[in-house]
Amino acid sequence: MATIASVTKIATARVRPLDVRDLPAIVEMRRRLFGSSPALTPEAHADLFREVLIENPWRDDDICSLVYEQGSRIVGFIGATTRRLTLEGRVYRAAVCQHLMVEPDSRSSLAAVELFRAFLSGPQDLSMTDTAGDVSRRLLERLGASTALPHSISWLRRLQPATCALSELRERRGLRAVAAGVAPLGHLVDAVLAKRAANRFRHVGSTVEDVDGERILAACEALCDRRLLRLDYDATWLGWVLGVWAKQERFGRLETVMVRGGQGEPVGWFVYFVNRQGISEVLQIGATEKTIEGVLAHLVSHARARGALTLRGRVDPRLMRAFARREFDIMPGVRWTLVHSSRPELLQAIHYGHCFLSPLDGDLWFL
């Protein structure tokens, strides 16, 4: 079995570490296979790959992204970024797998299998991905990974349901005139629903404020149970990752918001994109069992006031009841989380939901 830093040769093919000189070919493959936002030029895309995969402040030379090469041609790629996890005072290395790509004419080969196998056999204590599709899930499970079901459940909250329905009508030929005619009624319906929601879920005695990564770090230290498996944040990495996300304007405007109680104490926070045209992705919600409902209420009102149509995020399994009580739609299997480790304490914490891991900590899927 190949190690993540070694070269595995299969006939004329091999798996090898990503080199910075490979980035133009990787970007071209990415844009050809998956498309790209018009706002992201090939040069900007290459800079993003370099920043995330090579210049990451938590970069570990032993854990690297990989390419699958046939002759002199790159036909496959898998990204790998490093995280530090802490559990009961002990620090572990984690590698996050992201963005597997294989050229269509090489998908019948062992490219995907060898890339995954090389990634999983690396020196990290934990391998994981939290955006796997059904095909990747089946392949990873055959290679020894397991699906973390508690962390594979997404939620959705429609903030302006009538406006969302009208947007769908506008996409259908013959119904655009109908959508335009009933638009004023739709806005009125959304306004009434928003007022009802505000009356039902008042958050008296708490306030919100925009904050930076250092304030989030302090709140995480104050509110997170040290018995939980969680990222071992530091100010450098958290500031870096929020800065990278903030530059992804094609997803909307990044909002980092602290919720404070009646005495000014932090009771939770949320990080999300405001997207007025589509789905607003929620990257992280921090709260305790006592404060989560108030934090969710603030998130909904904050997003609605900024014109967001729909919020989407991943359920924290410790706090799932609050999402149900707040009328969030629960959707399992939209994105699968898979893990692989020889350390039972890590697998147990993840599979039993005894951890605080969010999309902010996982696969940087914006690549």
Side-chain angles (χ1 to χ4, degrees), residues 348-365:
Q348 181 176 342
I350 292 171
H351 284 297
Y352 284 92
H354 299 156
C355 61
F356 176 55
L357 295 174
S358 70
L360 185 68
D361 311 322
D363 180 350
L364 298 176
W365 48 266

Side-chain angles (χ1 to χ4, degrees), residues 305-319:
R306 283 150 184 78
L309 299 178
T310 302
L311 290 169
R312 181 173 64 189
R314 192 167 76 217
V315 173
D316 184 333
R318 300 172 302 118
L319 309 172

Side-chain angles (χ1 to χ4, degrees), residues 218-283:
C220 186
E221 292 297 325
L223 297 175
C224 284
D225 189 333
R226 292 187 179 276
R227 293 172 297 178
L228 296 175
L229 175 66
R230 61 185 177 92
L231 244 69
D232 183 32
Y233 287 136
D234 61 35
T236 299
W237 187 85
L238 192 54
W240 172 83
V241 76
L242 290 175
V244 172
W245 279 112
K247 289 186 289 187
Q248 310 315 308
E249 296 180 354
R250 62 192 186 280
F251 297 129
R253 185 180 69 255
L254 186 70
E255 298 279 354
T256 307
V257 181
M258 183 72 69
V259 182
R260 296 192 180 277
Q263 304 301 316
E265 75 283 7
V267 297
W269 69 90
F270 47 86
V271 181
Y272 77 110
F273 282 107
V274 175
N275 184 346
R276 296 183 178 181
Q277 305 300 321
I279 293 177
S280 296
E281 296 285 351
V282 179
L283 302 181

Side-chain angles (χ1 to χ4, degrees), residues 15-52:
V15 174
R16 64 167 175 80
L18 173 74
D19 187 278
V20 67
R21 292 170 294 185
D22 300 324
L23 290 180
I26 299 301
V27 169
E28 193 277 331
M29 185 194 307
R30 166 65 177 82
R31 297 170 71 87
R32 181 162 35 80
L33 296 182
F34 300 103
S36 181
S37 167
L40 198 61
T41 65
E43 294 77 14
H45 213 154
D47 288 343
L48 186 56
F49 269 88
R50 182 183 300 104
E51 184 173 14
V52 171

